[in-house]
Amino acid sequence: MIVNDNDKISSFQCFVLFVSAMIGIGIMFMPSGVAKYADQNGWIVVLLGGIISFLVFMLLFKIAMSNPDVTFIELLDSAFGKVLGIVFSFIYVIYFVVFSSFETRLIAETAKEFLFNLTPTEVLIITFLLTCGYLSRYGVEVIARMCEILMPGIIVIIIVLSFFVYQRLDFSNLLPILNIPIKKLIQGIGSTIFSFLGFEVFLFFLPYIRRKDKLIKSAFFGFSVTILVYEVIIIFCTADFGSKEMQTMVWPTLNLFRDVTVLEIVIERPESIVVALWMITTYTTEIIFLMVASLILARIFNTKEHNFFVFAQLPFIYILSLIPQNVLETQKYMDFFSYFFATFAVLILPLITYIVLVFKKKVKKT
């Protein structure tokens, strides 16, 4: 598969893709998830989770830069041979398909709960997938441009909504600080993993980046904005509801913006803005994942284009998204996915690949 020079992305577009890939549906549930482990210390857990995720990205960057002109798929082939390389490549296809199915199910549940009460979940899922599939057929640069347009608007809306919420907060709910056992703190960090996942797509984007030497800078600002958005949401939720009440909530982030009385003057249901907002963020995450899985398949089957692999994934995502019975079961599966599958795909397999490549290089020299 040849990378066209017109399909390469700038450093700013890399930054936007980082933010778009990481901020997804997880923000809807993360405040209640971390509160179950860390109580009012959720903001510390999110900060530490963000720093650890950035360090993992630095490791992935070092691995990918061992040959910056190819994707991670070619590195897998070099390390393990053709057959094992293809097997491991398919693991990444499964990873992104399963990840997409979680995003799809949760955005459908959110839309059904707050916007389209009478529309069947299956119809919402199909509509969402077809919309995402349409744009994912285009190149990396086109998707980066779309994220470039949408992301500033999303950040501005979050700032405006946060300003209205700020007036009713009680920050004493954030005290005392660090009064939890280390074990709970570590479990809380683990619960934030799903919310930061998405940065691993750059394992497969390196040949599409014009200035690879500036990728670390783009990643730093991308992680900084993501951590800042998460911190604002979790601090505001804790200050508004208190950690005990927040643990019992299914939609803490939506509840935070539901009672913005100032907005009710012009908008009947302020939370609908937040739902629409997060539908856009989930949309950008989903199209990136669909495209990455298609790029991997194009590399495996050595085809010139990736676009016809996009719609081939959709039936699998649709079926997987309907397996959980409800939102709580979906979140439970997401936790297992984060702890086991994501740890293997994002950390363990790249690390083993790097060790094997270094070992092979040393053997070749001797």
Side-chain angles (χ1 to χ4, degrees):
M1 187 176 173
I2 299 169
V3 179
N4 192 319
D5 196 50
N6 292 329
D7 202 23
K8 293 198 171 183
I9 53 178
S10 66
S11 299
F12 181 74
Q13 288 171 329
C14 285
F15 155 71
V16 173
L17 280 176
F18 268 109
V19 179
S20 301
M22 285 191 284
I23 297 181
I25 194 68
I27 187 61
M28 287 286 186
F29 316 98
M30 189 179 66
S32 58
V34 295
K36 287 172 186 170
Y37 295 107
D39 292 323
Q40 69 276 11
N41 298 291
W43 66 275
I44 299 174
V45 165
V46 170
L47 181 62
L48 293 175
I51 293 170
I52 291 170
S53 299
F54 181 68
L55 294 176
V56 172
F57 169 78
M58 295 284 283
L59 176 67
L60 296 184
F61 177 75
K62 185 175 177 56
I63 294 168
M65 285 300 283
S66 61
N67 191 346
D69 296 324
V70 300
T71 69
F72 190 59
I73 300 305
E74 281 80 13
L75 293 182
L76 286 171
D77 286 348
S78 302
F80 303 107
K82 194 72 180 173
V83 177
L84 264 182
I86 289 175
V87 171
F88 288 136
S89 298
F90 270 112
I91 286 178
Y92 281 98
V93 174
I94 295 169
Y95 170 82
F96 285 111
V97 166
V98 175
F99 204 148
S100 299
S101 71
F102 288 135
E103 298 269 336
T104 304
R105 178 58 185 270
L106 290 175
I107 199 65
E109 291 287 349
T110 309
K112 187 176 176 64
E113 177 77 18
F114 294 95
L115 294 177
F116 309 107
N117 310 89
L118 302 179
T119 307
T121 305
E122 291 81 359
V123 174
L124 293 171
I125 288 174
I126 291 170
T127 307
F128 180 68
L129 285 177
L130 290 177
T131 310
C132 293
Y134 176 77
L135 193 63
S136 298
R137 296 179 304 126
Y138 296 96
V140 176
E141 201 264 347
V142 173
I143 292 174
R145 279 184 183 278
M146 195 210 65
C147 294
E148 208 173 11
I149 295 168
L150 292 176
M151 191 49 61
I154 292 170
I155 300 295
V156 168
I157 293 172
I158 290 174
I159 292 171
V160 171
L161 288 174
S162 300
F163 173 77
F164 289 121
V165 172
Y166 177 81
Q167 300 169 30
R168 67 165 194 261
L169 300 181
D170 179 5
F171 288 101
S172 65
N173 285 334
L174 294 164
L175 301 174
I177 296 172
L178 279 179
N179 63 330
I180 56 169
I182 293 294
K183 185 183 174 184
K184 287 269 187 185
L185 194 69
I186 294 170
Q187 287 176 323
I189 293 170
S191 72
T192 66
I193 289 175
F194 189 91
S195 299
F196 282 102
L197 287 176
F199 60 86
E200 66 277 9
V201 297
F202 280 85
L203 276 173
F204 309 95
F205 277 175
L206 218 52
Y208 298 89
I209 297 170
R210 287 187 195 280
R211 294 289 306 272
K212 297 176 181 65
D213 56 318
K214 291 191 174 180
L215 184 59
I216 292 293
K217 189 177 176 183
S218 301
F220 175 77
F221 285 111
F223 273 88
S224 299
V225 170
T226 305
I227 292 171
L228 183 63
V229 170
Y230 286 170
E231 287 288 8
V232 168
I233 296 293
I234 201 156
I235 287 174
F236 279 26
C237 281
T238 309
D240 196 16
F241 309 119
S243 62
K244 298 300 178 192
E245 185 181 343
M246 198 162 63
Q247 291 173 31
T248 63
M249 292 180 173
V250 179
W251 316 94
T253 306
L254 284 173
N255 290 338
L256 178 69
F257 298 107
R258 178 174 276 173
D259 300 322
V260 181
T261 52
V262 177
L263 288 179
E264 284 177 352
I265 297 171
V266 289
I267 301 172
E268 189 177 349
R269 297 173 61 191
E271 74 273 14
S272 60
I273 298 178
V274 184
V275 175
L277 186 72
W278 293 120
M279 284 182 81
I280 295 171
T281 61
T282 308
Y283 174 70
T284 55
T285 308
E286 187 90 354
I287 57 174
I288 292 170
F289 287 172
L290 281 174
M291 185 185 60
V292 173
S294 305
L295 290 175
I296 296 172
L297 287 168
R299 297 270 174 181
I300 292 172
F301 293 104
N302 197 24
T303 60
K304 290 183 180 178
E305 299 291 338
H306 74 283
N307 49 13
F308 46 84
F309 290 113
V310 170
F311 286 104
Q313 303 169 58
L314 300 188
F316 298 100
I317 297 173
Y318 173 78
I319 293 167
L320 288 172
S321 67
L322 288 174
I323 290 176
Q325 298 298 312
N326 49 46
V327 175
L328 293 177
E329 197 167 295
T330 309
Q331 288 178 271
K332 185 181 168 186
Y333 289 154
M334 281 167 52
D335 286 341
F336 281 116
F337 176 84
S338 300
Y339 280 119
F340 300 107
F341 199 170
T343 304
F344 176 75
V346 179
L347 182 61
I348 295 175
L349 185 52
L351 196 56
I352 293 173
T353 305
Y354 182 65
I355 292 169
V356 172
L357 285 172
V358 171
F359 179 74
K360 277 189 167 183
K361 199 174 177 181
K362 284 189 177 176
V363 169
K364 200 174 178 181
K365 278 185 179 177
T366 55

